[in-house]
Amino acid sequence: MTGYEVLVDDNFHYMDEESRYKLGSFATYDEALTKAKAIVDDFLRENYSPGMTSKELYEGYVGFGEDPFIIPAGDPRFSAWEYARERCAELCRDEDAVASILRHPGWPEELKWFVDVLVACLGRADTGMKERRSLEAFQRAVDRYPDAMPADNTWYWLRLERESTAYTVYIYADRFELHGTGALPKDVEWVVRFRGSGRRDARVGDIGAALAGMRMAALSPDYVLKASGG
């Protein structure tokens, strides 16, 4: 072999050589390095959206991006993961600067009716002990916001479902999510982030009507309640 080869692994199939492919051979290390960096840059450019933190973008890359490497290794030695980390920091610099800033001093006003949903869920006679503990964790998260949010990389989950209709709520350390399927108020999809710029909030449908519908579902024996976390 003369020159340099760029081979590409798949982060989603880490350590699986069957997923590897050869991008090409190049006469100089600089040419190979440019091609390897371009693979990483293309993924980051396609998957970046305003409001993302470098942590979120980088996690997406190491989970689903491609991992090019050069044979033989040149100087400076190229690491796709390290290059991606540097590029994520550059792309997400503005959001990273405000990522730790709390946006809401108390539980977000637009989500205030979620308290009524929890009261209705806790009042159900068929709520099991496991689900009740999880609902109580939800209630602490609201009552003691932001101090009682789930730990990083964990979440609280609540679902009310009947046939093809369902309301699903997640509370993460950094955000609240409400998803709806079926005959709901314009198929509500809401994401409210507790910290940062809020540029990645999502507001589809009528949140007030959706939470009112969720409360009615909690009061109805026709809906099955599921919950976890806490």
Side-chain angles (χ1 to χ4, degrees):
M1 180 186 73
T2 60
Y4 298 86
E5 286 189 344
V6 175
L7 304 178
V8 184
D9 284 341
D10 181 355
N11 286 335
F12 187 69
H13 297 97
Y14 183 65
M15 299 294 287
D16 180 2
E17 292 191 8
E18 292 185 359
S19 299
R20 178 179 297 169
Y21 70 89
K22 178 181 175 180
L23 179 65
S25 298
F26 304 91
T28 69
Y29 182 67
D30 284 346
E31 289 178 294
L33 185 61
T34 297
K35 292 296 185 180
K37 287 181 176 180
I39 290 176
V40 177
D41 285 331
D42 286 347
F43 177 90
L44 298 181
R45 183 167 50 251
E46 291 172 5
N47 288 273
Y48 169 78
S49 61
M52 291 184 79
T53 63
S54 59
K55 180 177 182 291
E56 290 170 324
L57 184 56
Y58 183 71
E59 286 176 349
Y61 168 73
V62 297
F64 302 102
E66 291 186 317
D67 181 10
F69 60 98
I70 303 170
I71 297 178
D75 185 23
R77 187 181 183 90
F78 175 71
S79 164
W81 283 33
E82 287 304 315
Y83 178 69
R85 192 189 302 276
E86 294 169 4
R87 292 290 294 131
C88 288
E90 293 169 3
L91 290 167
C92 304
R93 182 178 293 111
D94 291 344
E95 189 65 29
D96 283 351
V98 298
S100 63
I101 298 175
L102 193 66
R103 294 172 58 205
H104 309 278
W107 183 250
E109 179 68 17
E110 56 200 345
L111 304 179
K112 63 182 180 180
W113 302 116
F114 182 59
V115 175
D116 293 342
V117 173
L118 293 175
V119 170
C121 288
L122 285 164
R124 290 173 62 120
D126 61 347
T127 301
M129 289 302 300
K130 173 180 173 293
E131 289 76 16
R132 185 169 297 278
R133 284 195 297 269
S134 298
L135 291 169
E136 289 170 349
F138 266 98
Q139 192 168 49
R140 284 194 299 274
V142 175
D143 293 344
R144 295 166 50 194
Y145 169 88
D147 297 329
M149 290 298 103
D152 288 341
N153 301 317
T154 63
W155 57 88
Y156 303 154
W157 174 76
L158 168 61
R159 183 175 176 88
L160 289 159
E161 61 184 14
R162 182 190 65 181
E163 298 176 351
S164 60
T165 301
Y167 298 87
T168 307
V169 168
Y170 298 90
I171 292 183
Y172 297 89
D174 64 339
R175 67 192 185 277
F176 172 98
E177 295 187 12
L178 170 60
H179 304 284
T181 56
L184 305 178
K186 296 192 181 297
D187 290 329
V188 64
E189 295 288 336
W190 268 62
V191 178
V192 176
R193 293 182 175 262
F194 302 133
R195 299 177 184 275
S197 69
R199 296 179 73 184
R200 294 192 70 202
D201 283 3
R203 291 175 169 84
V204 177
D206 185 333
I207 187 70
L211 289 174
M214 192 174 186
R215 175 181 176 274
M216 294 304 296
L219 294 170
S220 171
D222 294 336
Y223 279 82
V224 176
L225 184 153
K226 301 178 180 178
S228 66

